[in-house]
Amino acid sequence: MSGVWGVLLLLWGCVCLWLPGPAQGALVISRDNAIVQVTSLETQEPIRSLKKRSTNSDEVVEVYSVTVDCKVASRFAHTVMTSSALNKGNSSKEISFEVELPKTAFITNFSMEIESQIYVGEVKEKEKAKKQYEKAVSSGQTAGLVKASGRKMEKFSVSVNIAANSNVTFILTYEELLQRKLGHYEILTRVKPKQLVQNFQIVADIYEPQGITFVDAHATFISNELLPLVEKTVTDTKAHISFTPTLDQQRKCPGCDSTLIDGDFVIKYDVNRANSLGDIQIVNGYFVHFFAPPDLPRVPKNVVFVIDRSGSMSGTKMRQTREALLAILKDLHEEDYFALVPFDHNITPWKESLTKATKENVDEALEYVRRLNDNGGTNINDAVLRAVTMLDKDKRDKNLPENGVDMIILLTDGMPNSGESSLPRIQSNVRGAIDGNMSLFCLGFGNDVDYSFLDVMAKQNKGLARRIYEASDATIQLQGFYEEVASPLLSEVDLRYPDNAVDFVTTNHFSQLFNGSEIVVAGRLSDNDIDNFLVEVFANGFEEDFQVQGQASAVDWDMIYPEQEYIFGDFTERLWAYLTIQQLLETSKSGTSDEKTNATAKALDMSLQYSFVTPLTSMVVTKPETEDGPSSPLIADKLTEEQRQQAERHGYRYIPPQQTSYRFASAPTHFVDGDPHFMIELPGRADALCFNIDDTPGTIFNLVKDLTSGILVNGQTIGDKKVAPDGKVNTYFGRFGIVHLTLGVRLEVTTHNITVSQDGKRVKLLWSDTTSLKGPNMDLLVTKDRSLTVTLRDSVKFVILLHKVWKKHPYHQDYLGFYTLDSHLLSPSVHGLLGQFYHGVEFEVGDLHPGEVPEKPDATMYVKGQELNVTRGWQRDFRTDVKNGENVPCWFFHNNGTGLIDGSASDYTVSGLFKTV
């Protein structure tokens, strides 16, 4: 939830601390699905506990303090994370600090204290910050990069060189407005220290003058005997929650160094809502109005579900969509009206008008949903317009209740490729058809969808967009979104304040108020005389118009909290600034051209004024000089949702642009590695093309098929051991089958061993040995735990890389990469996901223009008779560095290589590892 707070803290020493395989360690404190681990700076792999890893004090970096202090004043959360470490060694060591914070938060400060010298971050305009570290960027040395981490977090990391016997303290501060969802605010802290920390503390102080109705605090790892570790003190207007275990209390067993702290620490709370006008607080010349009146009857809704059933929804996504729809339909109230509009390239409504949600009608709809299957293309434009037409017609014919809230919920997983395909024209068509008369909610399923397109279209039509992640819990995600909007209480909510008393008011008109949520408006007072501060609220209710008014007065915080020091007295101003910037950033995406320009300029000015790291600003911290001279600055950026999606889509994190030293070999290399990423190198043009193939674990793909020369290469995908907390489902190649029919050779390569069959004989080779096998027609070379080189006489040469993962890793497992080094002797008819490119591909690139991520431009590519949108990015070649790889610049094709590969990815699936069909 966007209203949770948290961090991930990580420190480590980089000398002699890493082990050959990954191991989890460190502390995770997160809002939502944060994870913490200790990582080697050299290998970027997790390492073991920082404590007692060596009896040699020269190899010890001690993390002796980790604290999280969160103060919430009227929903505005101010969180400070502090962590200290000591280099006990006799030589300088690199120590790093890694923090996960909620993506809805703005970083406001970061500092490092090293031997009484304090290095403080400065928020600058992003473009000016880029110029400052341009040299560092080009050399690839920038630290402190922010990257997406899971669904709702982003990771900030820095590293500094610390002298022997010296201390370093890192302090990071961020702020955000907690959002109320489903009737409460939530603070979720995930703790996985995997070590003992001398001073470990999580503290939350909640100040709510409106009055606190309940506070619940619990942890998944705390037994009845350990309940006293969670201290909770609650009064009418204040709550204090702390978790401060001693070293002995952290121990899993007496005398051992392992910790029992491993899980989620959760705080939930809500406030009093006795006043139907809501709560208005005036502090230091600013006001904030929280509006969520109690005991309102729900308003009936008229909802049309527009469901993508195109071919890309096949398999798990279609099954999860059916499951979610079945649960949602069962949750409809009898006074609701609903319709189902499945679509592919055709629009096929269940019925031609909306239907009342009686038990009989819902049962009939359930049977219809159970039979939904996938087929065809994606015609978003006509599907949404059909839903609008249905609602308009039923309204005109008075078939729907007048006071019902009209909404359309669109679920799609791909780009429009049937009917109208221009995204701006679709947005224009939908906006013109809806004309402000209903709300459109857009759910983007997976990473192939253009989230920015859906986000803008929803906001243009009084709705919002939400990403649905491809994971085992996608059904729950869909149901969770629906639950948030299932019970409208008011529509067309208008909050009014005296024109002569306030200015710079945030958005004060809202299309709906849903049960369990809250409307927040803030503004600046233009007159300190607030004796006549009249507040009025008008809205459409269930059976009659909702109308309430009342007088607001200033809140005396010193009187409410007489024994407290002033918390952070400008919180109302900063809350107003936070809310204003968020809304300006939204306008900068969905407004008119002039509105976008003005909103961007205002958001930038306010971000700089209040030192918020937003998508328009960067925080720059100058690192201390080292023996090698001045160091690169640390840079903290703010990711947009589109940048997060693109990083996930391409399997690499967002980082600023950098010059690459990669040089294309004279002979082309075609390979597939990772999750799984396909790369087509074109050395004649010093360029490359790349695409991903996403499918379910266990799928077998044909990579190379040359029936003329008798060569066949198939690969079978594997998945992680289980779905990671961020919900992402990763697939890799875990098994390859290679056949040379003419030579009578068959190889089966797995992550465990290599089996060679020829002339009725079978030999098994192990990855744990370096060995070679030579024959008249074939040479094999196994490099221990690294690679297998296969040379087939007068035909082809392959290399298969083994990526080893720590055996006890909770999610990942070993996987393989496949590289073609020499294919020039294969016939012109060679095909397959890789083979079709062995003899080159002609293309032209033009119309270079900014993409979703400024550092990754988009372009129009003309290839195979098609005009496609491509994005400049990179993939990693692991041949020279099997752990970290080398970045290879390439043009990325979206949607499983659609338009680049012949046909679709499903055309390359086969029934067996050595089968051609």
Side-chain angles (χ1 to χ4, degrees), residues 196 204 236 278 284 316 329 390 477 481 487 525 544 607 697 725 826:
L196 305 176
D236 288 345
N284 290 350
T316 301
L329 291 173
M390 291 172 67
Q477 294 177 60
F481 169 81
S487 298
L525 301 180
E544 57 185 14
S607 299
L826 294 180

Side-chain angles (χ1 to χ4, degrees), residues 281-299:
Q281 297 182 24
I282 301 174
V283 182
N284 290 350
Y286 289 82
F287 81 91
V288 58
H289 183 187
F290 301 101
F291 180 72
D295 306 323
L296 288 177
R298 67 180 299 277
V299 177

Side-chain angles (χ1 to χ4, degrees), residues 593-650:
S593 177
D594 287 344
E595 288 173 341
K596 290 178 180 180
T597 301
N598 292 334
T600 300
K602 290 178 182 177
L604 173 59
D605 286 344
M606 292 187 67
S607 299
L608 294 172
Q609 180 183 350
Y610 290 93
S611 293
F612 283 138
V613 178
T614 71
L616 304 174
T617 56
S618 298
M619 179 170 283
V620 181
V621 182
T622 303
K623 293 172 67 175
E625 292 190 8
T626 64
E627 296 175 357
D628 299 326
S631 296
S632 311
L634 306 174
I635 303 298
D637 288 328
K638 181 72 180 174
L639 302 183
T640 65
E641 192 62 36
E642 292 73 26
Q643 289 167 342
R644 294 171 61 87
Q645 184 193 25
Q646 194 154 9
E648 294 161 12
R649 180 187 295 161
H650 300 315

Side-chain angles (χ1 to χ4, degrees), residues 191-306:
V191 284
K192 291 180 177 290
K194 302 295 183 183
Q195 64 169 327
L196 305 176
V197 179
Q198 183 67 42
N199 177 31
F200 176 75
Q201 183 178 59
I202 304 172
V203 175
D205 287 298
I206 303 170
Y207 302 88
E208 293 287 356
Q210 196 171 337
I212 298 173
T213 56
F214 80 91
V215 177
D216 177 58
H218 68 277
T220 58
F221 52 83
I222 293 183
S223 62
N224 290 334
E225 292 79 11
L226 298 177
L227 280 177
L229 295 182
V230 180
E231 297 182 0
K232 182 175 70 172
T233 304
V234 183
T235 63
D236 288 345
T237 58
K238 181 188 174 185
H240 175 81
I241 302 96
S242 65
F243 178 60
T244 313
T246 65
L247 276 176
D248 286 338
Q249 289 171 332
Q250 295 173 45
R251 299 183 195 277
K252 186 174 289 186
C253 56
C256 65
D257 286 342
S258 56
T259 177
L260 58 79
I261 301 172
D262 185 357
D264 295 338
F265 187 84
V266 182
I267 301 171
K268 296 181 180 179
Y269 82 94
D270 200 14
V271 300
N272 284 317
R273 302 183 189 278
N275 189 343
S276 60
L277 180 64
D279 182 57
I280 302 103
Q281 297 182 24
I282 301 174
V283 182
N284 290 350
Y286 289 82
F287 81 91
V288 58
H289 183 187
F290 301 101
F291 180 72
D295 306 323
L296 288 177
R298 67 180 299 277
V299 177
K301 60 181 177 293
N302 309 315
V303 56
V304 182
F305 299 97
V306 182

